[in-house]
Amino acid sequence: MTNVYLAGPFFDDEQISRIERAEKALVANPQVNRVFSPRLSEIAGLTMGTPEWATQTFQMDVHQIDEADVVVALVDFVDDQVDSGTAFEIGYAFHSDKPIIVLHEKDTILNLMLAEGLHAYLQKAESLAAYDFTNLPESHYHGKVF
């Protein structure tokens, strides 16, 4: 059974909808033991934006990446720029030798660092429900990069 860290922005309705679809698909996958989604993991008693909240949230998220078997990253672009927090999570996971499954639903060009660092490339959140997290089949991005 696989533990998944779900990286992705959740700052507007479109992003929240996308990450909710990914959360539901991952929960529906019988090979997934646990999904950690920062969106659902606010630390009780802390005020968002305070230094204490920032430090504890950062430490919690890094610890959860360390505990995960795989990172699923939603690369939700605005003007061809991935969310900076998601980019950090992907880079940290790559450096930690975690397989990275990129979910890229929008029709945008993928940054070459993401394209070269991923283990598997998916284009629909629903694909996560059937993805083989036991064997982690590879699939690569073959589109344009910048």
Side-chain angles (χ1 to χ4, degrees), residues 68-140:
D69 300 304
V70 64
V71 170
V72 172
L74 283 63
V75 290
D76 182 5
F77 294 94
V78 176
D79 298 326
D80 289 333
Q81 301 299 315
V82 71
D83 168 65
S84 58
T86 305
F88 173 87
E89 292 162 325
I90 292 167
Y92 184 82
F94 180 82
H95 188 264
S96 301
D97 292 323
K98 304 285 180 181
I100 301 162
I101 299 168
V102 164
L103 177 61
H104 181 214
E105 290 187 315
K106 286 186 160 188
D107 185 23
T108 56
I109 298 171
L110 198 59
N111 179 283
L112 71 97
M113 300 302 280
L114 301 179
E116 292 298 317
L118 61 79
H119 180 84
Y121 176 78
L122 303 175
Q123 292 181 285
K124 295 187 185 305
E126 296 74 21
S127 302
L128 294 166
Y131 184 79
D132 183 355
F133 282 97
T134 300
N135 296 306
L136 294 170
E138 288 187 52
S139 58
H140 297 281

Side-chain angles (χ1 to χ4, degrees), residues 55-66:
T55 297
Q56 289 191 31
T57 299
F58 175 82
Q59 291 172 346
M60 174 181 64
D61 290 358
V62 167
H63 174 74
Q64 291 298 324
I65 294 171
D66 289 340

